[in-house]
Amino acid sequence: MGLSLLVLFAQTQVPLGKVTLILAHITFCLSFVVITVNARLEGMRHELEQSAMDLYATPFQTFRYITLPLAMPGIIAGALIAFTLSIDDFIISFFVAGPNSTTLPLYIYAMVKRGISPEINALSTLLMFATISLIVIAQILQPQHSSKNKRLMP
């Protein structure tokens, strides 16, 4: 995919840089986000939207107050998946990044080529600490389902 995007950008004469890097990451992550959000939308109860329309809510009000809050977990999950894939991607970034734009994987790769230094160890420790912190926060914020709530769910 990285090579095909490089060929596309070369054929259309788009200069490599931050714009091509952003476009490549959007292209790469879009399918994951669409699948995640689509799964959430398919599992949604559409009777709520129909009820809101029956109560004279406009389509925008129905979207804002019913559809968007119900789809928000899927949107957030898609955003987190896209962020995770984007921050981890080296190959596509290597092909489409220009000489003046660098990402974290490209920076780490350049540092490792020169030899393993304490900076790489410190950076890896910070990334691990940030990841563990986000997981703990997500677990704390996740609603706990009791056995009473499980009986009420269809």
Side-chain angles (χ1 to χ4, degrees):
M1 184 170 186
L3 186 58
S4 65
L5 286 170
L6 177 63
V7 169
L8 173 73
F9 295 141
Q11 292 291 326
T12 57
Q13 298 177 350
V14 177
L16 297 179
K18 291 190 189 327
V19 173
T20 56
L21 193 59
I22 291 170
L23 288 174
H25 280 261
I26 288 171
T27 305
F28 170 62
C29 295
L30 188 63
S31 60
F32 294 100
V33 175
V34 167
I35 289 172
T36 305
V37 174
N38 191 27
R40 179 65 181 171
L41 290 175
E42 284 181 5
M44 224 171 57
R45 294 178 52 195
H46 296 286
E47 294 87 13
L48 297 172
E49 293 173 329
Q50 293 170 355
S51 298
M53 293 284 200
D54 287 343
L55 295 170
Y56 300 105
T58 63
F60 178 73
Q61 288 173 328
T62 303
F63 176 76
R64 182 172 178 215
Y65 294 113
I66 305 296
T67 308
L68 189 61
L70 289 174
M72 193 55 70
I75 294 169
I76 291 171
L80 289 175
I81 289 172
F83 176 75
T84 304
L85 291 171
S86 184
I87 202 168
D88 183 50
D89 183 62
F90 171 76
I91 300 296
I92 294 173
S93 300
F94 184 75
F95 279 104
V96 300
N100 294 329
S101 58
T102 185
T103 62
L104 186 61
L106 293 176
Y107 180 73
I108 291 172
Y109 178 73
M111 287 176 66
V112 169
K113 279 179 71 173
R114 286 182 254 141
I116 296 178
S117 67
E119 290 176 349
I120 297 172
N121 296 335
L123 185 60
S124 300
T125 303
L126 286 174
L127 281 174
M128 271 184 34
F129 179 72
T131 304
I132 291 171
S133 300
L134 288 174
I135 291 170
V136 168
I137 290 169
Q139 289 296 317
I140 291 171
L141 294 178
Q142 183 177 7
Q144 302 297 323
H145 294 287
S146 65
S147 61
K148 181 179 176 183
N149 289 343
K150 287 181 184 176
R151 278 187 280 131
L152 296 175
M153 298 180 89

